[in-house]
């Protein structure tokens, strides 16, 4: 993921606007929904290119994953090999992650596990939780959106802040 030949990039916390094509949103969301039909949580990612304060999402990525249960709650895991594969893919396509998106069986919120073990770990990155195993179409109002702060604390964004930050672009892009 290192690009020593380039000037240092601004961090993701400099991003004030994220443009994500509807097709990418739907691609990831459909895969979350497919897992949900089997009562499994699932996680996917939005990847793209940062241009100063604007982040252009170009692709979705859904790694191989394992869904399971722990302490009565469900969770989804991506092992190290799969994370490595994703990082290679990102590097080859010159993309970086801006958001992880995962489903919950019912309510959308950040669980303790979500707080402690995010894949998205860069300051300024987003973690988006969708309710009801992604059964309904994705929308920014019913999703719970968190952003990683400089103190490595996940901050819940209000619906207003979410809508100001994320723009779903209709059409192919
Ligand atoms: Zn969760």
């Amino acid at each position: 993921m290192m690009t020593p030949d380039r000037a240092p990039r601004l961090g993701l916390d400099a991003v004030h606007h994220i443009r994500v094509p509807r097709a990418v949103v739907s691609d990831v969301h459909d895969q979350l929904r497919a897992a949900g039909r089997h009562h499994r949580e699932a996680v996917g990612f939005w990847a793209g290119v940062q241009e100063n304060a604007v982040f252009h999402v170009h692709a979705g990525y859904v790694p191989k994953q394992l869904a399971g249960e722990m302490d009565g709650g469900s969770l989804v895991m991506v092992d190290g090999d799969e994370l490595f594969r994703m990082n290679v893919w990102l590097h080859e396509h010159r993309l970086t992650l801006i958001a992880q998106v995962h489903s919950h069986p019912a309510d959308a919120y950040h669980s303790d596990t979500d707080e402690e073990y995010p894949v998205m770990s860069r300051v300024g990155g987003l973690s988006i939780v969708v309710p009801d195993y992604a059964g309904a179409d994705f929308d920014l109002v019913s999703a719970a959106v968190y952003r990683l702060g400089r103190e490595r604390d996940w901050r819940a964004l209000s619906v207003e802040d979410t809508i100001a930050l994320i723009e779903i672009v209709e059409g192919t892009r």
Side-chain angles (χ1 to χ4, degrees), residues 60-119:
Y61 190 97
V62 178
K64 287 210 183 77
Q65 50 200 271
L66 288 169
E69 290 193 14
M70 191 172 70
D71 301 332
S74 57
L75 80 167
V76 57
M77 289 164 292
V78 181
D79 71 23
D81 286 351
E82 277 303 315
L83 289 179
F84 179 76
R85 232 167 253 136
M86 177 166 74
N87 280 321
V88 169
W89 178 85
L90 289 166
H91 184 74
E92 284 176 354
H93 292 84
R94 296 271 180 270
L95 302 175
T96 55
L97 297 182
I98 183 67
Q100 67 174 44
V101 185
H102 82 282
S103 56
H104 274 187
D107 295 338
Y109 66 98
H110 236 204
S111 70
D112 291 346
T113 313
D114 297 335
E115 298 270 312
E116 295 295 324
Y117 304 105
V119 172

